[in-house]
């Protein structure tokens, strides 16, 4: 992706995040009041999730702003990895939320309190609508970077929480089965943990400069080794600077009479066109240098 396109995506992502933040802040107050009034763990768990969403969405906006700062002599790649730190923080928040929901579910499972089911159902139904609107805002931006994906997963978790609260509300209203509240909350907690784990794992991979999951080192080695005049490839490294920017470096060993300039141009083109790697550092060596 070129820098102009990346900037356009960033601006669009910022706009969507700001709208999502406004909707989430408004609905958090409504759901908190509704959860306290109805004495519903499902609603209160969802409201707690929304509270962390406010922090997470705000953190995502801050990270997008920071990542736009230019590179310096001290930070030669700029502040691009601010988005990865935000994504990691969002993932950790989600895991903590899931654990908290499990804890509260256990407490209520042992002694299920009476819940005002009609009020809970009304708040959950309207909350689902608000969450769907917010999820729709962030849906198309979720693949742009891990930061926006983390924000989307937060909202998706809220949406699942609202669905769970609606199911629990219906069961309690029609059957007076108050165990539905902690049981549904525990299911939502499990879904939140599942959705957050991969986000945390991918963020850690980037911070550890691991090879992006969609790229195979063996394939790259094979393609470079098949180039005209290449005798061997060594010290190949491929790592993610951010979820959008991948870098690569390697040494190509050529035969003594091969065209080094042509090999450099061809290998750079191969990385760019086949693997989408724009940032390449390729050192050319002649075979007799290493013998």
């Amino acid at each position: 992706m070129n820098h102009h396109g990346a900037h356009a995506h960033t601006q669009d992502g910022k706009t969507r995040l700001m709208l999502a933040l406004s909707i989430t802040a408004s609905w958090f107050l409504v759901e908190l009041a509704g959860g306290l009034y109805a004495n519903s763990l499902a609603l209160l768990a969802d409201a707690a999730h929304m509270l962390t969403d406010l922090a997470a969405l705000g953190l995502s906006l801050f990270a997008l702003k920071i990542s736009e700062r230019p590179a310096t002599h001290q930070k030669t790649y700029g502040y691009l990895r601010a988005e990865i730190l935000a994504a990691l923080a969002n993932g950790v928040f989600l895991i903590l939320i899931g654990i908290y929901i499990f804890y509260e579910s256990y407490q209520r499972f042992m002694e299920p309190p009476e819940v005002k089911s009609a009020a809970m159902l009304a708040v959950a139904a309207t909350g689902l609508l608000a969450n769907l609107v917010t999820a729709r805002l962030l849906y198309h931006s979720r693949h742009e970077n891990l930061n926006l994906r983390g924000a989307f997963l937060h909202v998706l978790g809220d949406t699942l929480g609202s669905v769970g609260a609606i199911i629990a509300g219906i069961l309690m209203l029609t059957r007076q089965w108050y165990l539905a509240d902690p049981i549904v909350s525990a299911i939502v907690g499990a879904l939140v943990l599942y959705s957050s784990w991969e986000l945390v794992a991918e963020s850690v991979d980037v911070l550890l400069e691991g090879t992006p999951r969609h790229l195979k080192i063996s394939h790259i080695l094979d393609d470079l080794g098949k180039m005209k005049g290449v005798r061997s490839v060594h010290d190949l490294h491929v790592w993610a600077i951010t979820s959008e920017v991948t870098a690569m470096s390697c040494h190509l060993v050529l035969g003594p009479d091969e065209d080094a300039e042509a090999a450099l141009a061809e290998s750079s083109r191969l990385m760019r066109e086949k693997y989408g790697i724009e940032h390449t550092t390729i050192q050319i060596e002649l075979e007799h240098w290493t013998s």
Side-chain angles (χ1 to χ4, degrees), residues 73-178:
H73 289 173
Q74 287 72 39
K75 294 179 175 59
T76 54
Y77 279 116
Y79 294 79
L80 294 175
R81 280 196 172 171
E83 66 143 272
I84 304 301
L85 294 175
L88 179 61
N90 282 344
V92 172
F93 272 136
L94 282 165
I95 290 174
L96 293 176
I97 290 165
I99 293 172
Y100 171 75
I101 291 173
F102 272 122
Y103 172 76
E104 288 295 329
S105 296
Y106 174 76
Q107 297 295 321
R108 290 204 172 201
F109 184 80
M110 300 302 295
E111 190 175 346
E114 185 173 344
V115 178
K116 296 177 181 177
S117 308
M120 170 189 172
L121 190 57
V123 173
T126 49
L128 176 61
L129 179 61
N131 286 325
L132 287 173
V133 171
T134 306
R136 176 67 176 172
L137 283 170
L138 298 177
Y139 179 78
H140 293 295
S141 300
R142 74 192 190 285
H143 291 312
E144 290 177 19
N145 57 54
L146 284 176
N147 180 28
L148 289 172
R149 182 178 167 194
F152 173 75
L153 286 177
H154 267 280
V155 175
L156 183 61
D158 278 337
T159 304
L160 294 173
S162 295
V163 171
I166 289 172
I167 293 172
I170 292 173
L171 289 173
M172 289 185 287
L173 188 64
T174 57
R175 298 178 179 274
Q176 285 73 53
W177 190 47
Y178 295 109

Side-chain angles (χ1 to χ4, degrees), residues 243-265:
S243 53
E244 295 178 271
V245 182
T246 303
M248 168 270 203
S249 67
C250 74
H251 293 232
L252 294 184
V253 180
L254 306 181
D257 299 320
E258 299 297 336
D259 187 339
E261 186 175 345
L264 179 60

Side-chain angles (χ1 to χ4, degrees), residues 7-8 23-24 50 94 128-129 155 198 208 244 248 283:
H7 179 72
I23 294 172
T24 302
M50 278 194 168
L94 282 165
L128 176 61
L129 179 61
V155 175
E198 188 175 357
L208 292 178
E244 295 178 271
M248 168 270 203
Q283 180 168 322

Side-chain angles (χ1 to χ4, degrees), residues 187-258:
I187 293 172
V188 172
L191 292 172
V192 168
L193 285 175
Y194 177 80
S195 67
S196 60
W197 180 253
E198 188 175 357
L199 177 67
V200 170
E202 287 190 29
S203 299
V204 171
D205 279 348
V206 173
L207 293 175
L208 292 178
E209 297 190 344
T211 302
R213 297 183 180 187
H214 67 285
L215 297 176
K216 300 294 183 184
I217 289 290
S218 58
H219 294 172
I220 296 175
L221 279 170
D222 188 52
D223 284 340
L224 289 172
K226 289 178 179 177
M227 285 175 46
K228 180 181 179 299
V230 173
R231 296 290 191 267
S232 65
V233 183
H234 65 92
D235 290 320
L236 173 63
H237 303 282
V238 181
W239 69 99
I241 298 170
T242 71
S243 53
E244 295 178 271
V245 182
T246 303
M248 168 270 203
S249 67
C250 74
H251 293 232
L252 294 184
V253 180
L254 306 181
D257 299 320
E258 299 297 336

